[in-house]
């Protein structure tokens, strides 16, 4: 049997990854898929069926570098046999149509169809496993792949997909699974146990439905071990009060994780694996999607100018920051950042900074390459170069100056502001208002404006105008809090209210949720917003990095904050329903 040598050689020759498993459960999945293929294509020889099953069940979990190695193993063990991928022509077309509708179809067709195939791989994995882990780094497209499959199955199978997203690391184990009072023996449902009970009921006749629980958070050896009996063939969740709930056929569980460093082999072997590699996607598709939106809003001239500016500046700057490439064969030291960033994250920030300043179409915005270039350079400095350490900023400034070939200010490009309305470059120093000592303020409340306070307040206002979160990083005593608070004081109090939350080492997710909940009010059914009618609320979190790390390195208050930012809401811990925050 060729399946055993393939697993043995894969274990020996491929790289060591936390999510790789070549044990009996993986072999069983291959046999299940081979059986399905044989039943659907009874005329196919068994060696082709087995080759297809081995390839299609193993390929989704491999990292970028291991794909050609595994293909070589398969070709060596099945010489002279070439088997095409199992065809899902209808599903493929539905996925392509949906991605085009969402402007996710980019110019690199080979890369695009790899992403389409990754969605199909997830579907194939879910056919043989009721628990699937989508593994990959930030920005690799995990959420897009899950969402695309969920939306595509409605047309492909005729059934709606209902998803419930939980971040298990933002709450305690008792809040997740439930708790049994040792004295009164009263049972209190947890978030997961309640959702698990709600979805595992029989479907209404004539209304087919897929129900998924998506765990969007780190996997560790504590909370996930309690679900081993759900993830294997028993499909049963056993609670502390003795309840045993079976995972029905129309339900599935998905994990969306960065890696499985802390997961046990028992957990990994029970799950299907789909690895989404950031090397396959990177930042170009996001840029293309953004430019398409600009073309719809403005015109083709501006879109073409932005494409030319991108080609001239963005790839060389990304390569200089992350790889140390200067345009020649020589490599130099990479530029250091205050906090880890991805290339996609930097390009997103560039697009948002441009969005915040471009005039509306009826206000005669600049469209030509020459009109936009200096503006683009200015945005480049405060997006790609915004999080660089002070010691590397001058290096990046000189690199961009040489790359542009323009006649720019002799000062650092970080010291220059570009006014898009007047098409002129002004030194930040000239924008600092003369200081006049206030007569009635206490000494601690006096802020003397400087170049730094003016430019960082301006950047903060640009980000807030798009309703996007902003993160100020820096050492203690660099006036981060003072700058942010001074910016808030310039806002119209009739339109904005601010909520100040200070994190400390003792802050828990429950503390943060209680503080946040006190300042929002119910507007409509499950829709919540600021208590003050007609106002927008700005939440300022000071010392965000302070909450204590739990045993596996997560910070529950920040996990809760991430869910609020990503999904615009959170679960009510008492009544266990989703609160959507507008």
């Amino acid at each position: 049997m060729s399946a055993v040598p393939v697993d043995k050689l894969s274990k020996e020759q491929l790289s060591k990854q936390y999510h790789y498993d070549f044990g009996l459960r993986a072999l069983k999945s291959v046999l299940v898929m081979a059986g399905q293929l044989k039943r659907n294509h009874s005329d196919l020889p068994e060696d082709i069926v087995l080759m297809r099953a081995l390839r299609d069940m193993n390929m989704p979990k491999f990292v970028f570098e291991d794909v050609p190695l595994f293909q070589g193993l398969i070709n060596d063990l099945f010489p002279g046999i070439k088997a095409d991928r199992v065809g899902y022509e209808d599903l493929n077309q539905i996925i392509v149509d949906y991605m085009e509708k969402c402007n996710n179809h980019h110019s690199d067709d080979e890369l695009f169809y790899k992403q389409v195939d990754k969605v199909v791989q997830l579907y194939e994995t879910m056919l043989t496993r009721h628990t699937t882990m989508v593994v990959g780094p930030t920005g690799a497209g995990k959420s897009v792949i899950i969402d695309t499959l969920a939306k595509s199955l409605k047309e492909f199978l005729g059934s709606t997909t209902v998803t419930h997203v939980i971040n298990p690391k933002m709450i305690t184990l008792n809040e997740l699974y439930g708790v049994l009072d040792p004295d009164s023996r009263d049972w209190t449902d947890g978030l997961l146990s309640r959702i698990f009970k709600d979805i595992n009921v029989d479907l209404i006749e004539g209304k087919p439905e897929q129900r998924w629980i998506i765990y969007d958070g780190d996997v560790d050896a504590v909370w996930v071990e309690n679900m081993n009996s759900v993830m294997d063939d028993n499909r049963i969740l056993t609670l502390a009060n003795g309840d045993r709930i079976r995972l029905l056929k129309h339900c599935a569980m998905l994990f969306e994780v960065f890696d499985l460093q802390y997961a046990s082999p028992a957990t990994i072997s029970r799950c299907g694996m789909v690895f989404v590699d950031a090397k396959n996607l990177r930042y170009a598709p996001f840029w293309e999607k953004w430019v398409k939106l600009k073309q719809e809003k403005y015109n083709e001239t501006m879109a073409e100018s932005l494409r030319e500016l991108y080609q001239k500046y963005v790839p060389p700057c990304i390569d200089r920051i992350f790889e140390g490439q200067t345009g020649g064969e020589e490599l130099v030291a990479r530029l250091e950042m205050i906090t880890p960033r991805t290339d996609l994250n930097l390009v997103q920030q560039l697009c948002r900074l441009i969005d915040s300043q471009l005039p509306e179409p009826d206000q005669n915005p600049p469209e030509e390459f020459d009109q936009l270039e200096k503006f683009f350079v200015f945005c480049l400095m405060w997006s790609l170069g915004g999080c660089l350490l002070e010691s590397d900023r001058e290096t990046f400034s000189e690199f961009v100056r040489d790359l542009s070939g323009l006649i720019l200010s002799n000062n650092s490009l970080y010291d220059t502001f570009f006014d898009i309305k007047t098409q002129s470059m002004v030194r930040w120093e000239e924008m600092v208002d003369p200081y006049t000592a206030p007569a009635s303020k206490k000494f601690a409340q006096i802020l003397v404006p400087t170049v730094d306070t003016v430019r960082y307040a301006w950047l903060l206002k640009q980000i807030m105008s798009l309703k996007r979160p902003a993160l100020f990083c820096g050492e203690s005593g660099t006036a981060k809090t003072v700058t942010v608070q001074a910016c808030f004081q310039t806002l119209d109090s009739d339109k904005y209210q601010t909520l100040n939350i200070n994190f400390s080492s003792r802050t828990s997710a429950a503390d943060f949720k209680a503080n946040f909940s006190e300042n929002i009010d119910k507007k409509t059914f499950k829709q919540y917003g600021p208590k003050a009618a007609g106002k927008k609320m700005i939440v300022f979190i000071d010392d965000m990095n302070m909450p204590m790390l739990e045993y596996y390195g997560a910070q529950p208050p920040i996990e809760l904050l991430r869910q609020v930012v990503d999904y615009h809401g959170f679960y009510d811990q008492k009544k266990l329903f989703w609160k959507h925050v507008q």
Side-chain angles (χ1 to χ4, degrees), residues 130 229-230 232-236 245-249 251:
H130 57 275
S229 61
V230 186
D232 62 21
D233 290 342
N234 293 313
R235 300 173 69 108
I236 291 176
I245 312 163
R246 180 174 293 277
L247 187 73
L248 300 180
K249 292 292 185 182
C251 301

Side-chain angles (χ1 to χ4, degrees), residues 196-213:
F196 207 87
K197 288 176 182 177
D198 289 345
I199 69 170
N200 285 287
V201 294
D202 293 334
L203 296 174
I204 299 172
E205 190 173 347
K207 290 188 177 180
E209 195 173 77
Q210 301 282 324
R211 296 168 183 169
W212 297 351
I213 299 178

Side-chain angles (χ1 to χ4, degrees), residues 505-523:
S505 61
R506 307 299 299 174
T507 301
S508 66
D511 296 332
F512 172 50
K513 184 183 290 185
N515 200 338
F516 188 69
S517 298
E518 286 175 2
N519 290 273
I520 60 175
D521 211 353
K522 190 172 184 178
K523 301 299 180 182

Side-chain angles (χ1 to χ4, degrees), residues 167-212:
N167 186 342
K169 302 295 283 186
M170 70 180 183
I171 50 180
T172 64
L173 272 180
N174 287 342
E175 291 171 335
L176 186 65
Y177 288 105
V179 62
L180 184 68
D181 189 285
D183 299 321
S184 66
R185 309 300 292 174
D186 287 338
W187 171 254
T188 304
D189 263 328
L191 179 59
L192 173 59
S193 60
R194 170 65 66 84
I195 292 175
F196 207 87
K197 288 176 182 177
D198 289 345
I199 69 170
N200 285 287
V201 294
D202 293 334
L203 296 174
I204 299 172
E205 190 173 347
K207 290 188 177 180
E209 195 173 77
Q210 301 282 324
R211 296 168 183 169
W212 297 351

Side-chain angles (χ1 to χ4, degrees), residues 46-61:
E46 286 192 0
D47 52 353
I48 292 181
V49 169
L50 185 59
M51 177 186 177
R52 273 186 171 182
L54 280 167
R55 182 195 59 202
D56 295 347
M57 282 308 299
N58 283 292
M59 197 69 79
K61 67 186 173 190

Side-chain angles (χ1 to χ4, degrees), residues 333-396:
R334 292 180 294 179
L335 303 182
E336 297 294 326
M337 292 181 276
I338 187 70
T339 185
R341 304 288 295 277
T342 64
D343 50 10
L344 172 62
N345 189 226
L346 296 182
V347 173
Q348 286 176 326
Q349 188 168 329
L350 170 64
C351 295
R352 285 164 187 158
L353 196 53
I354 293 173
D355 277 336
S356 69
Q357 297 173 79
L358 274 180
E360 291 299 315
D362 58 356
Q363 297 176 358
N364 193 28
E367 299 171 355
E368 300 295 337
F369 181 91
D370 295 338
Q371 295 174 313
L372 287 166
E373 187 168 14
K374 288 184 179 179
F375 167 63
F376 194 87
V377 167
F378 169 70
C379 292
L380 203 68
M381 301 309 299
W382 290 106
S383 53
L384 274 64
C387 60
L388 295 179
L389 296 179
E390 194 71 32
S391 55
D392 284 333
R393 284 191 170 186
E394 189 56 40
T395 304
F396 185 65

